[in-house]
């Protein structure tokens, strides 16, 4: 077992964690970043990225994360391949234990563990991810300009995604397994008033249909949840919008969570309920969930953490005089 000590400890290696590392390293913090189960975050499973600023041509998600990782290392970040299994936030330095048995101590802690989209769990869904099946209309809707698309879900996320897709598609179908939506009333009113959206009630996805070759998704097979009747909806894009799981299990009982289990942060900052612990990216952002906003909050977390350390060290110096 080895103990690693740093002024700035970062947990998570997506755009938020790596951006925090870049800013922290440039400020002389010599951060240690523990990469976790999925190094690179959700962008490692994203093929075409067309909305990250600075690139005129379409880039690949894994390539973008590789570049961010190299940049973080170049400016002085130490990347550790480990998964944190226990945390002690009761005092500083904060103490985290890895699956390897190693211990990581940080004067400040930045949490960027992200969130995962919930999926239906179908084999056909897995096979067609990135080939017509997506969990982010804001990320991928642009690729379906003028095409027929469908959204699966009945909550706020699903309704918002369906309305967003009307910017690109003249034919949007919302598929919901019940007879009423769970979304807020005002969102429902907007949805029902939009002529470009059709709602299919009491329908569950049986499978996503692969057209073979390079065709990708061509249809969705449905089952009526009331009658059991089967039907097929021709579509070129299927967007699963049934919510997200923020990766906060490790921090339950240690940090304040909101009603949806995301890490709570002070409005306008990345400060959590424990002084010296900061959160950024999708683990605290349930609204935007974009790579560029994650990177932005990663920058904020590093600046907030740097300020916290400077103030703490000033107070310590004053007390010693």
């Amino acid at each position: 077992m080895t103990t690693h000590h740093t002024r700035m400890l970062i947990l998570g290696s997506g755009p938020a964690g790596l951006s925090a590392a870049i800013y922290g390293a440039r400020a002389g913090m010599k951060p240690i970043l523990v990469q976790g189960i999925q190094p690179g975050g959700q962008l490692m499973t994203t093929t075409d990225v067309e909305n990250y600023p600075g690139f005129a041509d379409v880039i690949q998600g894994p390539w973008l994360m590789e570049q961010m990782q190299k940049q973080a290392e170049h400016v002085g970040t130490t990347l550790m391949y480990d998964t944190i299994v226990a945390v002690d936030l009761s005092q500083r330095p904060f103490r985290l234990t890895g699956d390897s048995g190693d211990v990581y101590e940080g004067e400040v802690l930045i949490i960027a563990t992200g969130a995962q989209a919930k999926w239906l769990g179908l084999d056909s869904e897995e096979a067609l991810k990135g080939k017509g099946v997506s969990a982010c209309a804001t990320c991928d809707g642009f690729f379906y300009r003028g095409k027929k698309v469908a959204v699966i879900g009945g909550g706020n996320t699903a309704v918002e995604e369906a309305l967003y897709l009307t910017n690109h598609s003249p034919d949007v179908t919302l598929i919901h397994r019940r007879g009423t939506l769970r979304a807020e009333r005002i969102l429902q009113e907007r949805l029902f008033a939009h002529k470009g959206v059709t709602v299919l009630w009491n329908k569950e996805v049986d499978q996503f249909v692969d057209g073979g070759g390079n065709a990708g998704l061509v249809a969705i097979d449905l089952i009526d949840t009331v009658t059991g009747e089967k039907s097929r909806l021709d579509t070129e894009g299927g967007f699963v919008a049934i919510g997200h799981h923020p990766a906060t299990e490790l921090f339950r009982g240690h940090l304040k969570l909101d009603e949806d289990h995301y890490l709570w942060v002070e409005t306008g900052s990345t400060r959590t309920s424990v002084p010296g612990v900061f959160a950024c990216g999708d683990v605290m952002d349930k609204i935007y969930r974009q790579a560029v906003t994650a990177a932005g909050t990663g920058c904020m977390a590093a600046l907030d953490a740097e300020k916290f350390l400077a103030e703490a060290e000033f107070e310590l110096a004053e007390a010693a005089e």
Side-chain angles (χ1 to χ4, degrees):
M1 184 190 83
T2 305
T3 298
H4 310 272
H5 187 86
T6 178
R7 296 183 73 199
M8 180 181 287
L9 180 60
I10 302 168
L11 187 55
S13 57
L18 289 169
S19 296
I22 291 164
Y23 273 82
R26 284 176 55 81
M29 299 289 166
K30 296 182 178 178
I32 290 175
L33 186 151
V34 184
Q35 301 207 65
I37 293 172
Q38 187 180 7
Q42 292 184 75
L43 275 181
M44 295 302 289
T45 59
T46 304
T47 50
D48 293 346
V49 176
E50 205 170 34
N51 56 4
Y52 199 86
F55 302 95
D57 296 322
V58 177
I59 56 173
Q60 300 298 300
W63 177 85
L64 178 60
M65 297 320 301
E66 181 186 338
Q67 295 303 304
M68 282 192 186
Q69 185 181 97
K70 286 179 178 178
Q71 185 178 4
E73 288 182 299
H74 177 73
V75 292
T77 302
T78 299
L79 300 181
M80 304 295 292
Y81 293 89
D82 205 348
T83 301
I84 299 301
V85 294
V87 300
D88 180 0
L89 308 181
S90 61
Q91 60 183 355
R92 294 177 50 238
F94 304 116
R95 186 178 174 90
L96 280 65
T97 305
D99 185 52
S100 65
D102 283 8
V103 172
Y104 303 86
E105 294 183 341
E107 296 298 325
V108 291
L109 172 64
I110 294 176
I111 301 168
T113 47
Q116 294 290 334
K118 295 178 184 177
W119 294 92
L120 299 172
L122 301 171
D123 291 341
S124 57
E125 174 186 63
E126 186 65 34
L128 285 168
K129 282 181 183 177
K131 300 174 184 176
V133 176
S134 169
C136 183
T138 330
C139 311
D140 300 329
F142 187 72
F143 298 114
Y144 297 89
R145 297 184 301 278
K147 298 180 179 180
K148 188 175 181 179
V149 298
V151 177
I152 298 100
N156 285 354
T157 300
V159 174
E160 287 169 350
E161 300 258 281
L163 288 168
Y164 172 80
L165 285 166
T166 61
N167 295 316
H168 304 295
S169 170
D171 190 341
V172 178
T173 301
L174 180 69
I175 301 167
H176 186 41
R177 62 182 177 175
R178 297 189 177 93
T180 56
L181 297 174
R182 292 176 289 106
E184 294 171 9
R185 179 60 56 186
I186 189 168
L187 285 173
Q188 293 191 40
E189 290 172 357
R190 285 178 56 202
L191 184 83
F192 298 145
H194 203 294
K195 294 179 181 178
V197 180
T198 302
V199 180
L200 291 182
W201 301 105
N202 302 312
K203 295 290 189 292
E204 207 163 48
V205 176
D206 184 34
Q207 70 167 340
F208 295 94
V209 181
D210 191 339
N214 295 319
L217 180 71
V218 294
I220 300 175
D221 283 343
L222 304 168
I223 298 177
D224 192 294
T225 56
V226 178
T227 66
E229 181 186 353
K230 294 187 177 183
S231 59
R232 174 168 287 192
L233 175 71
D234 293 332
T235 187
E236 294 176 83
F239 293 87
V240 180
I242 56 175
H244 287 75
H245 284 299
T248 54
E249 293 84 359
L250 195 60
F251 305 104
R252 289 181 184 178
H254 301 278
L255 292 170
K256 181 179 176 181
L257 307 180
D258 70 11
E259 66 277 7
D260 296 313
H261 307 297
Y262 287 77
L263 285 180
W264 174 90
V265 294
E266 289 182 28
T267 302
S269 84
T270 61
R271 293 186 292 272
T272 69
S273 56
V274 171
V277 180
F278 305 86
C280 55
D282 287 9
V283 76
M284 49 72 79
D285 169 28
K286 58 186 174 186
I287 298 173
Y288 302 105
R289 295 195 298 263
Q290 300 298 303
V292 66
T293 51
T297 57
C299 162
M300 290 167 60
L303 296 178
D304 285 345
E306 183 188 352
K307 183 181 178 184
F308 173 87
L309 270 181
E311 290 173 352
E313 288 166 359
F314 178 76
E315 289 171 4
L316 197 64
E318 273 199 328
E321 289 179 359

